[in-house]
Amino acid sequence: MLDLLLFGSLIILVAWVPMLVRRTPLTLAIVCVGLGAGWFAMHPEFSAAALEQPHMAEHLATITILVALMGAGLKIDRSFSFSGWRTTWRLIVIGMPLTIGCVLLLNIFIGGFAIPAALLMAAALSPTDPVLASEVSVGPPQAGDRGEIRFGLTSEAAVNDGMAFPFVQLAIVLTSAPFSGVWLNWILIDLLVKSLGGIICGGIIGWLAGLATFKLPRWPFSDTGDGLIALGLTLVAYAVADLVQVNGFLAVFVMAIVLRRSSPKDEFHGAMATFAEQIERLIAMLLLVFFGAALSLGMLDALGWRDVLIALLLLLIVRPAIGWLSLLGSPHDRVTRALIAFFGIRGIGTLYYMLYAFQEARFADQQRLWALGGFVVLVSVVLHGVTAGPLLTWSDRLARSRRQMLERHSARDAAPDHIE
């Protein structure tokens, strides 16, 4: 009964806390981590039993990320194009490899990790988290992009969470084989074929889902109005991608994008996105409660000063600097570039990749890796959670002021012609 009490209380928190902390620097994620740490510190017997199930935590993290990717794809109003998505491409093609490379070097030369362990942490810490990035994401379908900052972070988080997977796979392979013997197969199969296969697989499933949902002449499934279909499509897309051995995360996001474009103004997208968001928040907050429990049980015990230094360099220097560099030459103003570069949020994605890799291979200094990843997530949850609201509010206010100034200038320039 105590388990039911805790779970029911969590559901209430997920619904009520965002409203209660709206005018405070706290976020739902911070509250859940704090509650998990506090509660399970007083009742270690419950947390010990729960945390002895790494497979369960990995599966919950997988579902959370998948549902977040589905929701992100459904909420993006902007039509897909290379020019319209150039912020995304810059962050993925330039920013992500540079981030992995820099963190890899930090892990080797400052952390003293072996190459497989260093690469694992570089890959797990490279993607912006699509779950916790909901604090800075676009609005619901047909609400508009709400600015380049929100669109850039939403689309980047969705794409690079899938693109981190080949690098995690390479780290796993390197625990038992030299790089010289695996690099060609990794580039051709893991990086290129599986990524492209995930995009194609997602596109086909998204087209078929759009056809069944909106285009059937007699009974389009959208008439049901049941957002539950979002979860079903998410699991189907991921399962099919896994069966044909391609990138499932990319498949789910592309499926959602294609499904959204099949009938972009249909209100059913809102129902699906709302349901996906509710499921995502519930499971994510459950994971963050257990993350708080892990912290109270000594998750950070193996953390050393070198690990703290790597974490702070990543969050405060590496990600902001590389994000800024990636967006040089773009048409965005300095504030937009700076905020996109700053919000490299780490969260459920990082924890998932670590759990997955630890199930697949044995890494040297595994406790230190777990502590380093947990510390980065903890700092990111607090740092980005506290600053997201004020910084985006300031950015929105600045953008409105600029638009009003341009409108006044335009009206003043047009006034003489009007008088004549």
Side-chain angles (χ1 to χ4, degrees):
M1 283 302 161
L2 185 58
D3 292 341
L4 289 178
L5 175 63
L6 293 175
F7 189 62
S9 301
L10 179 63
I11 294 175
I12 295 173
L13 285 175
V14 169
W16 284 0
V17 167
M19 179 180 64
L20 296 176
V21 302
R22 186 178 301 166
R23 299 184 181 277
T24 73
L26 298 176
T27 64
L28 177 59
I30 295 174
V31 171
C32 286
V33 172
L35 286 175
W39 173 264
F40 288 111
M42 295 184 292
H43 301 84
E45 66 277 10
F46 298 115
S47 54
L51 295 174
E52 288 172 358
Q53 305 295 329
H55 285 291
M56 181 184 71
E58 180 191 339
H59 294 327
L60 286 175
T62 304
I63 294 173
T64 308
I65 295 170
L66 292 174
V67 175
L69 294 175
M70 179 69 172
L74 290 173
K75 289 189 291 185
I76 292 177
D77 286 334
R78 188 177 302 189
S79 298
F80 177 81
S81 68
F82 285 100
S83 60
W85 286 53
R86 55 188 163 187
T87 298
T88 313
W89 307 138
R90 285 172 172 269
L91 292 170
I92 299 301
V93 177
I94 301 173
M96 188 174 184
L98 286 178
T99 300
I100 291 176
C102 286
V103 178
L104 175 65
L105 294 177
L106 290 177
N107 289 335
I108 292 174
F109 293 106
I110 295 180
F113 291 108
I115 289 179
L119 179 58
L120 171 63
M121 287 313 303
L125 295 173
S126 64
T128 299
D129 188 64
V131 180
L132 299 184
S134 60
E135 298 288 342
V136 292
S137 71
V138 297
Q142 302 187 53
D145 292 332
R146 300 173 66 199
E148 193 66 25
I149 296 171
R150 291 178 175 86
F151 168 77
L153 291 169
T154 301
S155 56
E156 180 209 13
V159 177
N160 71 3
D161 208 72
M163 291 306 300
F165 197 79
F167 295 92
V168 174
Q169 289 281 30
L170 178 60
I172 293 171
V173 171
L174 290 181
T175 61
S176 58
F179 181 74
S180 59
V182 301
W183 70 270
L184 183 59
N185 183 76
W186 176 75
I187 291 176
L188 292 178
I189 304 300
D190 291 327
L191 188 60
L192 297 179
V193 172
K194 290 188 177 182
S195 298
L196 182 60
I199 293 171
I200 294 172
C201 179
I204 293 173
I205 296 174
W207 178 78
L208 292 173
L211 190 66
T213 305
F214 302 107
K215 306 297 185 182
L216 290 181
R218 283 182 172 271
W219 188 44
F221 292 159
S222 60
D223 288 349
T224 64
D226 192 345
L228 182 63
I229 192 175
L231 180 59
L233 289 173
T234 300
L235 298 179
V236 166
Y238 183 73
V240 171
D242 187 65
L243 288 173
V244 297
Q245 298 186 348
V246 296
N247 193 312
F249 288 166
L250 286 179
V252 169
F253 180 62
V254 172
M255 180 269 293
I257 288 289
V258 174
L259 174 62
R260 175 65 198 280
R261 301 321 306 170
S262 63
S263 183
K265 297 188 180 299
D266 196 291
E267 294 181 358
F268 187 53
H269 293 297
M272 289 192 292
T274 299
F275 182 83
E277 183 178 4
Q278 290 172 339
I279 296 297
E280 168 202 331
R281 285 168 56 196
L282 178 59
I283 305 178
M285 295 312 115
L286 178 63
L287 283 170
L288 288 174
V289 166
F290 285 113
F291 174 61
L295 293 174
S296 71
L297 287 180
M299 181 181 187
L300 303 184
D301 285 353
L303 191 72
W305 69 267
R306 293 179 297 171
D307 308 316
V308 173
L309 179 59
I310 291 171
L312 296 180
L313 286 173
L314 166 64
L315 294 173
L316 301 179
I317 296 178
V318 173
R319 161 67 192 201
I322 290 178
W324 178 273
L325 178 64
S326 303
L327 297 174
L328 283 179
S330 69
H332 312 314
D333 58 65
R334 292 183 178 181
V335 172
T336 298
R337 292 201 300 268
L339 291 182
I340 292 176
F342 173 70
F343 283 113
I345 300 168
R346 271 56 180 168
I348 305 299
T350 294
L351 298 176
Y352 162 75
Y353 279 124
M354 293 170 63
L355 287 166
Y356 172 82
F358 292 162
Q359 300 300 314
E360 297 293 322
R362 181 69 185 176
F363 290 86
D365 294 320
Q366 193 159 298
Q367 290 302 315
R368 272 189 67 202
L369 294 176
W370 188 236
L372 172 56
F375 182 71
V376 171
V377 172
L378 177 62
V379 174
S380 182
V381 166
V382 176
L383 173 66
H384 297 125
V386 168
T387 59
L391 287 178
L392 289 181
T393 299
W394 169 70
S395 173
D396 293 340
R397 189 182 302 119
L398 187 62
R400 284 195 300 269
S401 298
R402 288 175 176 171
R403 286 196 300 269
Q404 292 170 357
M405 186 179 299
L406 289 174
E407 290 171 358
R408 286 196 296 268
H409 283 311
S410 299
R412 189 171 59 222
D413 293 341
D417 294 337
H418 177 71
I419 294 173
E420 291 177 2

